[in-house]
Amino acid sequence: MIQKTVTGNKTKALISLAQKCKTLNQLKQIHAHLLKTFLSENALAIGPLLSVAAISKIPSFFSYARLIFNHSSHRNTFMYNTMIRGYMQANFPKPSVFCYLDMLNMGFEPNNYTFPPLIKACVILGPLENFGMFVHAHVVKFGFGEDPFVVSSLLEFYSLVHKMGTARVLFDKSPDRDVVTWTTMVDGYGKIGDVENARDLFEKMPERNAVSWSAIMAAYSRISDFKEVLSLFRQMQEVGMKPNESGLVSVLTACAHLGAITQGLWVHSYAKRYHLEKNVILATAAVDMYSKCGYVHSALSVFEGISNKDAGAWNAMISGVAMNGDAKKSLELFDRMVKSGTQPTETTFVAVLTTCTHAKMVRDGLNLFENMSAVYGVEPQLEHYACVVDLLARAGMVEEAEKFIEEKMEGLGGGDANVWGALLSACRIYGKIEVGNRVWRKLAEMGITDFGTHVLSYNIYKEAGWDMEANKVRKLISETGMKKKPGCSVIEVNGVVEEFLAGDNRHPKAGEMYRVIHSFLKMSNLV
């Protein structure tokens, strides 16, 4: 008993000293003292030193913690838990898992502190979902199935592997559900596009925080229901909840897609007022919003104010100036990006290739495409091939575009509606009837049922006077039941976004709007 007290007092003093260590040499001095006094053979004494080293977030300290642990002949559950947590904190999920397996092999039982970091390792490893289920089985076996921290970690894991049915069973059985577990479920449903269940849980939440609101707004953003994102944001403001950076990103994204510049300006002003504009993701969302609303100078101003520009920020600005017709500026930004040492991504090349397409800079576009893999280490994907087809087709190089598809994409089957549409549009514009005829016949043989593609083919035949072929296309459209997606328009009035679909008369003022339109038509007939 006396020995335990002496050891305990020394341990407390050493923990206090270890926590104050700033350098590895200082930590080694404390470890040397433990070795000298034989306390290193006492797991109760070495454990706290190991904990300080393993979770200090200093790489050299963690490396030393691994040495201490590997050379320790006297271990306990606390030491294993410390290393599992340390590996996770250092972003080494696999060693974290192996450490747990070693713990079991050595005969030590896990406790409630073992599982949260271990489950987080499973979250990072993601696809290895069977191991996550193995850990879940151990949670139940060792009696921690109702621990709130363990349950929360399991919910996060099952959400990541899209097993929301299992997550829901866990959630419904959990007796201690806090705002974190509720939010995890809302976010999990949102990530798989199940906004119905996400919204149902959100509405039932006994308590909400900024993260909860952010999760439900992100859910609607993922399914492109941007109008509902703005509606939720207004509700959030009405209850007096202060949004976080993630929530503001969702709102700015919604403003960008809806062209809601008034609300976008307000959100960006709010971010600046609370000094949130330094967040790179938030600033990038502001760049995208201003660009899509046509305020390129504002977008450039925000972009230049980002101190640590990542690929996302560069991509947003390159795309932004491109969509507003400044091809030269877009390519200049690309050169700046490369010179800054930022690695271009797949998205970067979609942006610059699209720029070259609209500016009819065929040579530049082809050079960029050829250099993607050789110079920049980015392997071309389908969307990049589609960009090149569009580049050639819009420049009137229809035969070259067809040849590119055959040689580089292994024929039309290697493309999609964007590729076929680009080629057929060019055939119609430049009167390349024979090419258009070859393309449609191949697509018909492949059983392609894309409405837009067949309408383009019909128009090519009709305008060329090939009525028999045009009728064949029309018959195919009718027999396969192809439908055109309704057009959509959006307008912002006094900060409120109104959305209209072609043929939709559900708007409360639809009757009044139709009467105004009819009056305009009557007036135009009188002129």
Side-chain angles (χ1 to χ4, degrees), residues 266-369:
W266 186 92
V267 172
H268 187 215
S269 175
Y270 178 93
K272 289 193 287 187
R273 186 162 66 251
Y274 287 96
H275 309 292
L276 303 174
E277 77 275 15
K278 299 299 181 185
N279 181 302
V280 177
I281 298 174
L282 182 59
T284 300
V287 169
D288 187 51
M289 184 273 296
Y290 281 124
S291 297
K292 286 179 177 171
C293 291
Y295 288 68
V296 186
H297 291 297
S298 297
L300 282 165
S301 176
V302 175
F303 173 75
E304 297 299 351
I306 301 174
S307 55
N308 298 309
K309 300 177 181 69
D310 61 7
W314 284 103
N315 292 343
M317 197 65 256
I318 291 169
S319 300
V321 294
M323 74 176 67
N324 285 278
D326 194 343
K328 183 181 177 182
K329 182 68 175 177
S330 182
L331 295 179
E332 285 176 359
L333 283 165
F334 174 74
D335 289 337
R336 277 181 58 192
M337 177 185 188
V338 173
K339 288 175 182 175
S340 73
T342 306
Q343 171 66 33
T345 65
E346 293 174 5
T347 305
T348 312
F349 283 98
V350 170
V352 291
L353 288 171
T354 302
T355 296
C356 294
T357 298
H358 291 293
K360 294 189 177 180
M361 300 165 65
V362 178
R363 185 178 297 175
D364 295 273
L366 292 175
N367 285 338
L368 283 166
F369 180 79

Side-chain angles (χ1 to χ4, degrees), residues 372-401:
M372 275 184 67
S373 176
V375 177
Y376 302 104
V378 179
E379 289 299 322
Q381 303 299 314
L382 175 60
E383 53 194 339
H384 302 110
Y385 287 101
C387 285
V388 175
V389 173
D390 200 24
L391 172 74
L392 295 168
R394 284 179 186 246
M397 301 168 68
V398 180
E399 286 83 1
E400 289 84 346

Side-chain angles (χ1 to χ4, degrees), residues 11 24 28 111 127 187 209 275 277 336 388 411 462 477 489:
T11 300
L24 184 59
K28 286 180 176 179
N111 59 26
D187 190 48
N209 59 18
H275 309 292
E277 77 275 15
R336 277 181 58 192
V388 175
K462 198 69 178 175
I477 292 173
S489 61

Side-chain angles (χ1 to χ4, degrees), residues 182-492:
W182 280 89
T183 302
T184 301
M185 288 298 295
V186 170
D187 190 48
Y189 278 123
K191 284 176 178 174
I192 63 172
D194 186 355
V195 292
E196 186 178 341
N197 273 311
R199 187 61 174 265
D200 180 61
L201 283 176
F202 179 77
E203 296 296 343
K204 291 176 180 176
M205 288 183 74
E207 177 191 0
R208 299 171 187 158
N209 59 18
V211 181
S212 312
W213 284 94
S214 174
I216 192 63
M217 286 192 288
Y220 280 99
S221 183
R222 286 188 190 96
I223 63 166
S224 300
D225 190 347
F226 300 113
K227 189 177 178 183
E228 189 59 28
V229 173
L230 296 187
S231 174
L232 283 163
F233 183 59
R234 283 196 295 272
Q235 292 177 43
M236 185 181 186
Q237 290 176 292
E238 287 167 4
V239 298
M241 180 65 65
K242 182 179 176 182
N244 60 11
E245 290 100 324
S246 179
L248 292 177
V249 168
S250 292
V251 178
L252 283 172
T253 301
C255 292
H257 284 274
L258 297 173
I261 185 61
T262 304
Q263 293 195 45
L265 283 165
W266 186 92
V267 172
H268 187 215
S269 175
Y270 178 93
K272 289 193 287 187
R273 186 162 66 251
Y274 287 96
H275 309 292
L276 303 174
E277 77 275 15
K278 299 299 181 185
N279 181 302
V280 177
I281 298 174
L282 182 59
T284 300
V287 169
D288 187 51
M289 184 273 296
Y290 281 124
S291 297
K292 286 179 177 171
C293 291
Y295 288 68
V296 186
H297 291 297
S298 297
L300 282 165
S301 176
V302 175
F303 173 75
E304 297 299 351
I306 301 174
S307 55
N308 298 309
K309 300 177 181 69
D310 61 7
W314 284 103
N315 292 343
M317 197 65 256
I318 291 169
S319 300
V321 294
M323 74 176 67
N324 285 278
D326 194 343
K328 183 181 177 182
K329 182 68 175 177
S330 182
L331 295 179
E332 285 176 359
L333 283 165
F334 174 74
D335 289 337
R336 277 181 58 192
M337 177 185 188
V338 173
K339 288 175 182 175
S340 73
T342 306
Q343 171 66 33
T345 65
E346 293 174 5
T347 305
T348 312
F349 283 98
V350 170
V352 291
L353 288 171
T354 302
T355 296
C356 294
T357 298
H358 291 293
K360 294 189 177 180
M361 300 165 65
V362 178
R363 185 178 297 175
D364 295 273
L366 292 175
N367 285 338
L368 283 166
F369 180 79
E370 293 299 328
N371 289 335
M372 275 184 67
S373 176
V375 177
Y376 302 104
V378 179
E379 289 299 322
Q381 303 299 314
L382 175 60
E383 53 194 339
H384 302 110
Y385 287 101
C387 285
V388 175
V389 173
D390 200 24
L391 172 74
L392 295 168
R394 284 179 186 246
M397 301 168 68
V398 180
E399 286 83 1
E400 289 84 346
E402 184 184 25
K403 184 179 178 182
F404 179 86
I405 292 171
E406 292 298 328
E407 293 182 355
K408 299 289 187 179
M409 303 179 65
E410 299 181 354
L412 290 168
D416 61 5
N418 293 320
V419 174
W420 310 323
L423 187 55
L424 287 169
S425 292
C427 289
R428 183 184 180 189
I429 293 168
Y430 295 101
K432 301 290 185 178
I433 314 304
E434 294 295 341
V435 177
N437 181 45
R438 284 199 299 271
V439 171
W440 181 77
R441 288 185 178 281
K442 288 178 182 178
L443 293 175
E445 288 173 6
M446 289 161 53
I448 301 300
T449 57
D450 178 68
F451 182 84
T453 300
H454 289 286
V455 168
L456 271 171
S457 301
Y458 172 82
N459 289 331
I460 290 170
Y461 289 133
K462 198 69 178 175
E463 290 167 10
W466 293 25
D467 292 338
M468 186 179 294
E469 299 299 324
N471 291 334
K472 285 182 182 178
V473 178
R474 188 164 191 160
K475 184 181 178 182
L476 182 62
I477 292 173
S478 178
E479 288 176 349
T480 54
M482 295 182 216
K483 298 286 186 182
K484 180 182 178 182
K485 291 182 180 179
C488 173
S489 61
V490 178
I491 187 172
E492 182 184 20

Side-chain angles (χ1 to χ4, degrees), residues 54-308:
I55 63 175
S56 67
K57 296 184 179 180
I58 301 173
S60 60
F61 278 32
F62 179 66
S63 296
Y64 196 66
R66 294 173 72 174
L67 287 173
I68 294 173
F69 183 76
N70 290 336
H71 289 88
S72 177
S73 56
H74 298 82
R75 300 175 182 173
N76 59 13
T77 298
F78 174 81
M79 291 175 69
Y80 273 102
N81 287 350
T82 297
M83 290 309 296
I84 291 170
R85 182 182 171 191
Y87 279 121
M88 268 306 305
Q89 193 169 278
N91 201 29
F92 294 131
K94 284 187 178 179
S96 182
V97 169
F98 292 143
C99 189
Y100 175 68
L101 295 175
D102 183 56
M103 175 184 180
L104 297 177
N105 289 334
M106 295 301 292
F108 294 103
E109 279 200 7
N111 59 26
N112 59 319
Y113 293 102
T114 308
F115 292 108
L118 182 63
I119 297 166
K120 286 189 182 297
C122 297
V123 170
I124 293 175
L125 293 172
L128 303 175
E129 62 180 77
N130 288 339
F131 187 77
M133 296 172 77
F134 165 78
V135 172
H136 186 184
H138 276 217
V139 167
V140 175
K141 177 183 176 181
F142 290 107
F144 301 108
E146 294 184 356
D147 183 279
F149 295 103
V150 175
V151 170
S152 181
S153 298
L154 283 170
L155 290 177
E156 185 181 358
F157 165 72
Y158 283 116
S159 297
L160 182 83
V161 297
H162 298 165
K163 287 188 172 289
M164 289 307 298
T166 306
R168 187 59 183 263
V169 171
L170 266 176
F171 176 78
D172 289 339
K173 287 183 177 180
S174 177
D176 188 10
R177 294 180 292 194
D178 59 10
V179 67
V180 175
T181 53
W182 280 89
T183 302
T184 301
M185 288 298 295
V186 170
D187 190 48
Y189 278 123
K191 284 176 178 174
I192 63 172
D194 186 355
V195 292
E196 186 178 341
N197 273 311
R199 187 61 174 265
D200 180 61
L201 283 176
F202 179 77
E203 296 296 343
K204 291 176 180 176
M205 288 183 74
E207 177 191 0
R208 299 171 187 158
N209 59 18
V211 181
S212 312
W213 284 94
S214 174
I216 192 63
M217 286 192 288
Y220 280 99
S221 183
R222 286 188 190 96
I223 63 166
S224 300
D225 190 347
F226 300 113
K227 189 177 178 183
E228 189 59 28
V229 173
L230 296 187
S231 174
L232 283 163
F233 183 59
R234 283 196 295 272
Q235 292 177 43
M236 185 181 186
Q237 290 176 292
E238 287 167 4
V239 298
M241 180 65 65
K242 182 179 176 182
N244 60 11
E245 290 100 324
S246 179
L248 292 177
V249 168
S250 292
V251 178
L252 283 172
T253 301
C255 292
H257 284 274
L258 297 173
I261 185 61
T262 304
Q263 293 195 45
L265 283 165
W266 186 92
V267 172
H268 187 215
S269 175
Y270 178 93
K272 289 193 287 187
R273 186 162 66 251
Y274 287 96
H275 309 292
L276 303 174
E277 77 275 15
K278 299 299 181 185
N279 181 302
V280 177
I281 298 174
L282 182 59
T284 300
V287 169
D288 187 51
M289 184 273 296
Y290 281 124
S291 297
K292 286 179 177 171
C293 291
Y295 288 68
V296 186
H297 291 297
S298 297
L300 282 165
S301 176
V302 175
F303 173 75
E304 297 299 351
I306 301 174
S307 55
N308 298 309

